[in-house]
Amino acid sequence: MFVGREKELERMEEMYAGGRFEMAVIYGRRRVGKTTLISKFCRNKQDVIFFPALEAEKNMNITALSGAIAEYENPGTSTYPKFDDFASILEHVSKIGREKRLIFVIDEYPWFAESDPSVSSQLQHAIDHVMSKGKIFLILCGSSMSFMENQVLGTKSPLYGRRTAQFKVEALNYRDTAKLNPQLTKEDNARIFGVTGGIPLYACYFNGCGDFKSGLISAMLRRDSPLFEEPGNLLKQELRDPASYYALISAIAGGASRLNEIAAKSGLNTSSCAQKISVLTELGIVDRETPIFSKEGRKSLYYVSDLLYRFWYRFIPPNSAMIQNGYGEEVCGRILESGIPSYMGAVFEKICTQYIYQNIGRLPFFPSAIGRWWGANSETKQQEEIDIVCTDQTGESALFCECKYLSEPVGEGVLETLIFRSGLVREPLKRYYAIFSKSGFTKRLEERAKNSGALLVSLEDIYE
């Protein structure tokens, strides 16, 4: 099923219809659906050369690319001449693209470029002198975020300035993730989003399962489950020293949020810890958060932003032995009973933030910033926090939001607490309020919200 990439596909179709040279750079983390997007775009197009690069040496890639060209020119052929080098291939492909609207895809471009460091320079030369005068639609795709951003899109890359479009393919939001398992309940789909982070392939592992529990056991809680070792395997593909990064993510997932805490818990020195956190941030696994209205500094906290990693590091290592010995169902029962309710609180905040971005028109103003707020109550000396705060460009208006992932309807006491906490924030002059709830609202809260103008949003509203 193809969901959630309609805007990217529409833009690519517009570019294709123009008939001139185009170079699209498509990148994003592994399993996010980049190749699916390209395949959908190429479907029903007559002239396509699709080359999935190999993580191999140069000659093997040249042979494989020669085979892809042969398959385009003589479908089904088993024998074909091999080109001598990439320059010869570019010359041949450019000739085809002089007269035909040819789509030329190099998937996993970093593997090809790493097998021959001159590939990007050769491609740049061909674009400048031949390809740009023809009708080729060139697509470079890659999963190595740092390589694509630095060595394809970066200013020091030979290809800098040649791309005519770039698409960073992100994980699906909750609503689109739910479309992959429409047979399941809204709550089950929220949990699936909390486990998979909106990665389409991971969400599809729940296809055919009657509920979240059976799907989680099948997808992650057996020795042969596809997600049982997935985060570790991904780290091994991306990093040279996965063990130290494993310790770092474990520390952050376990509650350490400040640099000195993370360093102490992971056993790394502060300097090395900071450097490795920077790498994890580039990979989209870890992020740094500063309370809204504050400048980045001592108040900033680190957290595991990738939900697959967050869930896995929280629940799998402590239960690994049990899972490997066949007790996945028992582990799942324990997770559902004592782990999921608290875990899903932060996930629900992310789902609610996505809803805000998708429904800007429902807000009392156009937001310029959306984030969390936390700070000390000067009277009680305790830490207070507000789940989501949206501010306008002037900083004079703010929408304060509370997100409740509870099994019972939310009452008016939650709104009263939110109003109190908003008073701890001195900046905005005009204040608005919103309550998000998994299980709806009491009649008294609904009546009060109607009179006060507070916005109430249920999981049903988010799903639709």
Side-chain angles (χ1 to χ4, degrees), residues 249-434:
I249 301 171
S250 295
I252 300 171
S257 56
R258 301 184 187 279
L259 186 60
N260 59 340
E261 296 172 346
I262 299 168
K265 200 167 184 178
S266 64
L268 300 171
N269 63 59
T270 305
S271 176
S272 176
C273 184
Q275 184 179 18
K276 292 180 184 300
I277 285 177
S278 178
V279 173
L280 291 174
T281 301
E282 285 187 11
L283 292 174
I285 297 172
V286 168
D287 207 349
R288 188 179 189 183
E289 187 176 29
T290 300
I292 199 165
F293 304 120
S294 300
K295 294 182 180 180
E296 192 170 291
R298 288 184 300 173
K299 284 189 174 183
S300 298
L301 304 175
Y302 291 99
Y303 68 102
V304 180
S305 53
D306 186 296
L307 293 181
L308 173 72
Y309 282 85
R310 190 189 301 179
F311 183 90
W312 193 92
Y313 277 90
R314 179 164 175 173
F315 295 113
I316 301 305
N319 295 294
S320 179
M322 293 290 289
I323 295 170
Q324 294 198 50
N325 282 281
Y327 292 99
E329 187 168 352
E330 289 77 4
V331 170
C332 189
R334 189 186 307 169
I335 291 173
L336 291 176
E337 182 178 345
S338 60
I340 278 288
S342 61
Y343 173 80
M344 283 299 297
V347 173
F348 190 54
E349 291 175 19
K350 186 167 186 173
I351 291 173
C352 296
T353 301
Q354 292 175 351
Y355 174 86
I356 290 172
Y357 278 114
Q358 294 161 357
N359 295 270
I360 296 295
R362 292 196 65 187
L363 303 188
F365 54 83
F366 189 87
S368 64
I370 301 176
R372 274 201 318 138
W373 176 88
W374 61 89
N377 183 329
S378 59
E379 294 183 3
T380 64
K381 308 301 181 184
Q382 293 183 340
Q383 190 83 352
E384 304 275 6
E385 69 174 60
I386 301 174
D387 295 334
I388 304 173
V389 181
C390 309
T391 63
D392 68 357
Q393 191 169 12
T394 65
E396 296 178 352
S397 297
L399 173 68
F400 298 91
C401 309
E402 183 72 13
C403 307
K404 289 296 184 183
Y405 192 83
L406 303 173
S407 57
E408 66 273 354
V410 171
E412 61 181 338
V414 172
L415 179 57
E416 291 173 356
T417 300
L418 179 61
I419 293 172
F420 166 75
R421 288 174 177 168
S422 74
L424 301 174
V425 182
R426 305 299 180 187
E427 283 79 358
L429 302 176
K430 185 70 174 176
R431 299 163 193 268
Y432 303 89
Y433 302 97

Side-chain angles (χ1 to χ4, degrees), residues 1 177-186 189 192 207 463:
M1 183 184 294
T177 302
K179 294 176 184 177
L180 297 172
N181 291 283
Q183 79 283 3
L184 299 182
T185 66
K186 299 172 180 62
N189 272 304
I192 290 172
N207 290 167
Y463 189 84

Side-chain angles (χ1 to χ4, degrees), residues 191-207:
R191 291 172 170 180
I192 290 172
F193 177 77
V195 173
T196 66
I199 300 300
L201 178 63
Y202 301 158
C204 286
Y205 290 146
F206 289 78
N207 290 167

Side-chain angles (χ1 to χ4, degrees), residues 24-35 37-38 50-53 105-114 139-149 152-153 167-170 238 283:
V25 177
I26 299 177
Y27 65 110
R29 58 157 294 173
R30 297 185 191 280
R31 321 285 199 262
V32 80
K34 303 180 297 298
T35 303
L37 170 63
I38 297 170
F50 193 107
F51 168 53
V105 181
I106 304 180
D107 197 5
E108 289 301 347
Y109 179 75
W111 286 350
F112 187 33
E114 286 173 354
I139 298 176
L140 303 182
C141 178
S143 300
S144 173
M145 303 285 280
S146 58
F147 186 99
M148 297 300 289
E149 290 178 343
V152 176
L153 297 171
F167 302 91
K168 184 178 181 181
V169 182
E170 304 279 5
E238 294 285 353
L283 292 174

